[in-house]
Amino acid sequence: MDDEGHKRMYCSSKSRSLISIAILVIIILQTNLLKAHAHAIVEINNVSSDDGYVVLHLYENKTSFKKFNPDRIYKKVATKGKTIIPINDYHEGDIAIFVYHDENSDEEFNTSIFWTPKEGYAYSNSYIPTSIPKYEEALFRLEHGVAVNLELIY
């Protein structure tokens, strides 16, 4: 191989290395940006199957909670075991959360005639209502960057 061919081969391998490093840096930055973008994450544990969606209702006040009219709704494809939902549009404050596993994808929390749940559900504060749910019992302080863990009950 002549000197010119050796230089071309050396330059092309150097270029490939630089491109590989640039791609790696972009991937790392993108991953960190995605993590930084979420103000908080909600980890929903005990998801029974991959069927349907996990739906999270965020309530900012007692009135919306009583009317079952959430201020924000988040929906994510269910992942058996644990489903993670990022909260990107709410920084921090006093809220209540209701989450359910919409296994049949009908966009409703299915219950029997006596409000016995047919799908997995959870409230913030590990609150399990024995009658009409109370906002004060589910109320907690969402803090920026702090994960919220909820366990579905079936």
Side-chain angles (χ1 to χ4, degrees), residues 40-44 54-61 65 68 70 72 74 85 87 90 93-100 121-129 133-135 137-143 146-152:
I41 60 167
V42 180
E43 296 179 359
I44 297 99
V54 174
V55 180
L56 185 145
H57 291 181
L58 186 145
Y59 298 93
E60 296 178 31
N61 59 63
F65 188 84
F68 204 66
R72 290 175 172 75
Y74 305 88
I85 299 179
I87 305 287
Y90 190 84
D94 294 331
I95 61 168
I97 290 177
F98 170 70
V99 64
Y100 68 96
Y121 73 98
Y123 284 92
S124 44
N125 282 341
S126 301
Y127 171 52
I128 302 172
K134 295 178 178 73
Y135 179 70
E137 296 293 328
L139 186 65
F140 78 104
R141 178 127 185 108
L142 179 70
E143 295 181 21
V146 177
V148 177
N149 290 293
L150 301 175
E151 180 117 2
L152 291 182

Side-chain angles (χ1 to χ4, degrees), residues 33 70 73 82 91 98 104 123 140:
L33 285 174
I73 298 174
K82 180 189 291 188
H91 187 64
F98 170 70
N104 59 0
Y123 284 92
F140 78 104

Side-chain angles (χ1 to χ4, degrees), residues 29-88:
L29 287 175
Q30 186 177 21
T31 303
N32 287 337
L33 285 174
L34 287 173
K35 287 179 184 175
H37 184 65
H39 295 294
I41 60 167
V42 180
E43 296 179 359
I44 297 99
N45 298 298
N46 196 35
V47 179
S48 67
S49 70
D50 293 328
D51 297 334
Y53 297 89
V54 174
V55 180
L56 185 145
H57 291 181
L58 186 145
Y59 298 93
E60 296 178 31
N61 59 63
K62 186 175 186 175
T63 304
S64 61
F65 188 84
K66 280 182 139 182
K67 293 181 179 180
F68 204 66
N69 184 22
D71 296 293
R72 290 175 172 75
I73 298 174
Y74 305 88
K75 182 176 168 181
K76 188 123 185 232
V77 173
T79 304
K80 184 176 180 173
K82 180 189 291 188
T83 300
I84 297 175
I85 299 179
I87 305 287
N88 298 324

